[in-house]
Structures are given as C-alpha cells and as structure tokens.
C-alpha cells in the first residue's frame, strides 16, 4: 500500500476505546479543530463501574474541555472525608477547607462523565461494535500510516493512532509495554439508593475492617456509592468466586461478606440494585516498564488505563486519564494549528513530547496508589504495619500526598 499518496479513506486520527480517556481525548482534539474517529468494541457507552471521585486535577481538565459545569451543577462537593481504623478511631479527617476550595472533590456517576463529553461530539464520531485486533504501520521519509485490522476483517487507515483501550490494551502491547499485573487485590462496587435519604451529609467514609478497605460516598441526598477492596492471592480463584452470571447471586455473596461491617455501610449495600454491582481485579503496570519503554512510537501512543493502569486507592485513574486527554490536545493542537493539516511526521514529534510529559506523572501515581493500598490492607507484618500506618502514614503522608498529586494542572488547550 502506498503511503503519502492517495489520502482518500485515511482518517486523520483514530482513537481506540470510548471510555473516559478516549472520549476526553476526542473532545480535546475537537476543541483544537482536529476530527477524530473513536472505535469502541461495545455496542454502547459503558454504564457500569458506578461512580468515581473527581479531584481538583480532573476539574482543571474538565474545564479545559469545556464540560466541567455540566457535572459540577448536579453533583454537590464533598464537605469532608473520614478514615476509621479497626478499633473505630478516626485516623484521618479531611475537610473541604483543607482541600481545594475552588475545585472541591465530587463523586460523579461514570455514565454522566461519559455522556457529558459524548454530547459535545458530532454524531458518528463513535463507531460502536468495532474491535481492534492488530496494528501494522508503514513509514517512509515523507509520511507514516497505521493500518488497523478490525475483528470483523475490515481495515481502517489512519495518520495518527491513540490507544485508549484500557488495561488490556492492544495498542500498549504493540508499543512493547508489558502486560499489567494483578495487585493481589480486588474490588466490589455498587450504588445504594435510600429513598428516605442516607444521611451522609456530603461526607465520605472509609473503614479499615478485618482485612478489608471499604468506603461510602454520597452522590446526592439519596444515592451513595460504596466499594470493598480486599486481598486475594490468586486471581483465578477470585475470578471463579466472583464472576457469576446472575447479579442476585453476587449480591448474596456480598451481603455475607459485609455482615459485620459498620451499619452505615451495611445499610447501603442492602439498598443496592444488584444490576449496579461490579467486581474488578485490580491491575497495575510495573512502574519501571514505563521508565524504560517507549510510550510513543512514530504516530502511535496510548492514554488512560492503556498507559498507566493503577490500583484505585488514590482515586486517580480516571482523573489522570482526563489530564492525558488535555495534554494530548495541547500538543497535537499546537502542531495542527501551524498548517491546519495533520502531518504524521510532525505529529510523531509532538507525541514524543506528550510521552515525556506523562512518563513521571504516570510512574509516581502508579507507585503511590500501590503503596497507599499496601498500607491500608491487612497482610504480612500486620501489627507493625498498623502501628506505622496509624502513627506515621495517616498523620504525615496520606493527606499531604493526596493534596500534592491532585493540585496538578494539565494546562489549557490552545485557542483556535
Ligand atoms: C474499583 C475502582 C475504583 C476506581 N475509582 C476511581 C476514582 O474514584 N477516581 C478515578 O479517577 N478513577 C477511579 N478508577 C479508575 C478509573 O475507573 C479508570 O482509570 C478509568 O475508567 C480509565 O478510563 P479509560 O478510558 O482509560 O479505560 P476504560 O474505561 O477501561 O475504557 C476503555 C474502553 O476501550 C474499549 N476497548 C478495549 N479494547 C478495545 C479494542 N480492542 N477495540 C475497541 N475498543 C476497545 C473498552 O470497551 C472501553 O470502553 C477506579 C477503578 C476501579 C477498578
């Protein structure tokens, strides 16, 4: 196939994956005048995964994308967050005064984040039921092209390819990044609805409880998100236990698990529609993989979980995916605005700048998230660990780290 010749049927930019990273990157590019095509293997936007915490860094990115107001107008800010240890002592208490007043933390339904972004995109931007199988690239001195082999046998040609295809990314594998590993932790999540109100008063709670880290957080007066994170040495064993076809059976298992948890938590789980329940093995990318490997090769790069799968203890996977999107939009936009055309070899240069900007941010978040989880869950050296956790980690490290990572500013998109 000729490259650089007949450009008919060649997309400017293809984004694989219509999750938070994929849609936000598409919108960032649209804001700077670049049209992208999203390929999503599912037949609709993902509705599962309940809700996520969005910290200040996510709000900065959402503002740059021009959609922050759509979510901040319907979700109230969290006023405070508590962490309580096994003996019922509050080991950490963070108020909204201590956090970023301008952009406070909010808990937001994942589906609403996706819809707020997708609504800004022209129709037909997202091609559903389109699964990428493999990638081929052709490059000469004048140009570059990626050929995307789809599961249905078709081939899509593009000048730029951005993999936002999640933890098990085909694009990340093509770049040579190693497969994410199981953290020996898994998570269960659900959405509780209390018609009379849950009484959480805009406060979130985390309880460290007999080898579990469990939490609740309000979305509004009636709905609240809850999660359970637990240790498990074998992914296969956990998968066998948790992957059940019938959500009602899973719900029964969860109710047995939480029988001795604090009443506030138990009540919410009891008021959960089994259809909102999800189980996820917590995966992360070994940080030195990101240190030494290529995060972009020519016209191909990755963003979101495809770049930095991390455990969720810092609540940063989605927030950082939004940062990635704006940084990509900033670099590709600056390049595009010079000639008003996508020049693959020029874009390849700015993708290197993107990779450079995101490398240490990704490494530090993966590491910090893993260490946060390690301290908070039972395991080896438990007594010593709990002592260090309550006297040093929660006193001096926990809130400072959260404040530090969430004050990150991904910048603005260039004005078109
Ligand atoms: C228990 C838990 C709690 C979390 N809590 C928070 C939180 O509070 N705050 C926060 O910011 N983050 C949180 N996260 C992390 C957050 O959910 C993820 O980081 C975020 O969803 C990543 O978005 P993404 O778009 O990169 O990936 P995904 O959401 O996984 O989207 C990837 C998309 O790509 C599609 N896809 C995959 N392969 C292909 C293919 N071959 N072809 C076409 N399409 C493909 C998938 O169908 C999917 O739609 C949490 C995660 C977990 C597990």
């Amino acid at each position: 196939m000729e490259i650089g010749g007949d450009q008919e049927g060649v997309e400017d930019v293809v984004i694989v994956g219509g999750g938070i990273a994929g849609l936000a990157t598409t919108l960032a590019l649209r804001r700077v005048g670049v049209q992208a095509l999203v390929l999503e293997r599912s037949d609709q936007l993902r509705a599962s995964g309940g809700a996520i915490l969005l910290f200040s860094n996510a709000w900065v990115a959402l503002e740059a994308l021009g959609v922050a107001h759509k979510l901040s107008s319907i979700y109230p800010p969290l006023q405070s967050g508590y962490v309580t240890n096994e003996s019922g002592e509050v080991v950490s208490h963070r108020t909204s005064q201590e956090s970023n007043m301008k952009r406070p933390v909010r808990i937001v339904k994942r589906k609403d984040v996706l819809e707020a972004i997708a609504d800004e995109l022209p129709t037909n931007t997202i091609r559903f039921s389109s699964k990428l199988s493999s990638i081929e690239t052709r490059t000469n001195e004048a140009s570059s092209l990626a050929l995307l082999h789809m599961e249905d046998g078709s081939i899509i040609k593009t000048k730029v390819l951005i993999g936002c295809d999640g933890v098990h990314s085909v694009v990340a594998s093509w770049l040579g990044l190693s497969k994410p590993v199981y953290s020996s932790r898994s998570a269960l999540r659900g959405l509780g609805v209390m018609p009379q109100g849950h009484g959480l008063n805009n406060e979130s709670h985390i309880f460290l409880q007999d080898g579990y880290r469990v939490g609740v957080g309000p979305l509004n007066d009636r709905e609240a998100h809850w999660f359970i994170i637990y240790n498990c040495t074998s992914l296969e064993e956990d998968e066998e236990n948790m992957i059940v076809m019938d959500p009602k059976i899973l719900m029964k298992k969860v109710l047995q698990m939480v029988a001795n948890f604090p009443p506030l938590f138990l009540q919410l789980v009891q008021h959960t529609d089994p259809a909102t329940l999800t189980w996820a093995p917590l995966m992360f990318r070994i940080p030195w993989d990101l240190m030494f490997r290529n995060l972009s090769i020519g016209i191909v790069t990755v963003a979101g979980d495809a770049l930095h799968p991390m455990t969720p203890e810092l609540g940063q996977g989605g927030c950082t995916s939004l940062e990635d999107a704006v940084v990509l939009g900033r670099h590709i936009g600056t390049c595009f605005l010079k000639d008003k055309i996508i020049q693959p070899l020029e874009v390849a240069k700015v993708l290197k700048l993107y990779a450079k900007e995101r490398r240490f941010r990704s490494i530090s978040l993966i590491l910090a998230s893993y260490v946060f989880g390690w301290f908070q869950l039972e395991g080896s050296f438990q007594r010593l660990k709990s002592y260090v956790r309550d006297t040093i980690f929660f006193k001096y490290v926990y809130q400072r780290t959260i404040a530090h990572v969430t004050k990150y500013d991904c910048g603005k998109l260039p004005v078109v």
Side-chain angles (χ1 to χ4, degrees), residues 295-337:
L295 308 187
S296 78
I297 296 180
I299 53 169
V300 182
T301 193
V302 276
D305 277 7
L307 169 61
H308 41 59
M310 63 184 81
T311 55
E313 290 82 3
L314 266 175
Q316 279 297 308
C319 300
T320 343
S321 302
L322 293 165
E323 291 175 9
D324 293 341
V326 175
V327 177
L328 269 169
R330 182 152 47 74
H331 285 298
I332 297 178
T334 310
C335 172
F336 175 75
L337 291 172

Side-chain angles (χ1 to χ4, degrees), residues 34-348:
V34 178
Q35 178 81 29
L37 170 69
V38 180
L39 303 176
E40 168 55 51
R41 69 177 170 192
S42 309
D43 58 3
Q44 57 182 353
L45 290 183
R46 173 179 167 183
S48 66
I52 59 171
L53 283 158
L54 292 181
F55 288 87
S56 166
N57 54 324
W59 292 105
V60 171
L62 289 166
E63 280 165 24
L65 296 173
V67 292
H69 62 285
K70 291 189 186 177
L71 298 164
S72 59
S73 58
I74 49 172
Y75 288 101
L78 275 185
Q79 294 302 335
S80 44
Y82 294 87
V83 183
T84 307
N85 71 9
E86 298 81 354
S87 333
E89 269 170 68
V90 173
V91 284
S92 169
H93 176 212
R94 185 176 164 83
T95 63
S96 59
Q97 278 84 13
E98 293 160 45
S99 60
N100 189 319
M101 290 292 282
K102 193 169 167 220
R103 300 184 183 95
V105 185
R106 288 177 161 87
I107 304 179
V108 174
K109 276 187 198 158
R110 183 188 295 271
K111 188 165 180 276
D112 289 345
V113 180
L114 293 179
E115 283 175 0
I117 301 173
D119 284 352
E120 302 286 311
L121 302 173
T123 38
N124 301 328
T125 301
I126 310 172
R127 200 176 287 172
F128 290 106
S129 307
S130 300
K131 184 173 176 193
L132 172 72
S133 292
S134 63
I135 305 159
E136 227 184 300
T137 52
R138 310 259 165 102
T139 304
N140 63 22
E141 315 78 60
S143 197
S144 207
L145 187 70
L147 307 182
L148 312 183
H149 296 266
M150 306 303 291
E151 197 185 44
D152 64 5
S154 61
I155 294 176
I156 296 171
K157 293 176 254 169
T158 180
K159 294 180 190 171
V160 179
L161 170 63
I162 303 172
C164 299
D165 45 346
V167 176
H168 305 288
S169 166
V170 175
V171 185
S173 299
W174 183 88
L175 286 173
L177 295 173
S178 64
K179 292 215 175 314
V181 294
Y182 181 47
S183 63
S184 300
R185 298 172 208 150
S186 297
L188 283 157
R189 286 174 284 176
L191 200 65
V193 184
M194 312 267 283
Q196 313 303 328
H198 45 57
L200 282 169
N201 296 327
N202 292 331
E203 290 172 355
S204 69
H205 293 263
I206 291 174
F207 303 98
L208 305 175
Q209 182 88 7
D210 307 328
Y212 294 96
R213 178 177 180 268
V214 305
V216 293
L219 277 84
N220 49 46
D221 291 343
R222 290 184 320 110
E223 294 176 291
H225 170 70
W226 59 261
F227 68 82
I228 306 172
I229 297 183
Y230 57 94
N231 279 329
C232 183
T233 40
S234 154
L235 175 58
E236 287 75 24
E237 196 185 294
D238 201 25
E239 219 159 16
E240 230 168 76
N241 275 329
M242 291 305 175
I243 295 196
V244 282
M245 299 310 282
D246 186 351
K248 284 192 187 135
I249 300 177
L250 183 56
M251 192 68 199
K252 259 194 188 162
K253 284 187 187 182
V254 174
L255 283 169
Q256 281 165 3
M257 198 185 236
V258 303
N260 298 322
F261 285 9
L264 177 68
F265 189 84
L266 185 58
Q267 248 189 353
L268 264 175
V269 178
Q270 284 165 339
H271 284 82
T272 295
D273 174 357
T276 68
L277 261 185
T278 51
W279 169 83
L282 303 180
M283 314 292 290
F284 70 106
R285 176 154 282 135
I286 300 289
W288 45 93
D289 197 42
L290 291 185
M291 184 98 83
F292 299 114
R293 309 270 176 130
N294 288 318
L295 308 187
S296 78
I297 296 180
I299 53 169
V300 182
T301 193
V302 276
D305 277 7
L307 169 61
H308 41 59
M310 63 184 81
T311 55
E313 290 82 3
L314 266 175
Q316 279 297 308
C319 300
T320 343
S321 302
L322 293 165
E323 291 175 9
D324 293 341
V326 175
V327 177
L328 269 169
R330 182 152 47 74
H331 285 298
I332 297 178
T334 310
C335 172
F336 175 75
L337 291 172
K338 273 192 236 152
D339 305 319
K340 292 276 181 341
I341 182 171
I342 289 287
Q343 306 266 24
L345 297 184
E346 291 305 307
V347 175

Side-chain angles (χ1 to χ4, degrees), residues 334-404:
T334 310
C335 172
F336 175 75
L337 291 172
K338 273 192 236 152
D339 305 319
K340 292 276 181 341
I341 182 171
I342 289 287
Q343 306 266 24
L345 297 184
E346 291 305 307
V347 175
K349 287 183 200 158
V350 297
L351 291 187
K352 282 205 178 343
L353 299 178
Y354 157 77
K356 191 173 168 204
E357 200 170 326
R358 301 310 289 160
R359 191 185 298 274
F360 285 101
R361 175 85 178 140
S362 303
I363 293 172
S364 57
L365 286 172
I366 295 173
L367 261 177
S369 300
Y370 184 82
V371 173
F372 262 45
W374 184 83
F375 263 117
Q376 292 178 66
L377 280 172
E378 233 171 57
S380 43
F381 320 114
Q382 190 47 37
R383 272 207 170 158
L384 175 65
K385 208 165 119 182
S386 305
Y387 177 76
V388 174
R389 183 194 71 193
D390 294 354
T391 54
I392 300 174
F393 173 74
F394 277 120
K395 255 200 179 133
Y396 303 107
V397 182
Y398 184 71
Q399 294 196 10
R400 283 194 184 126
T401 308
I402 294 177
H404 178 71

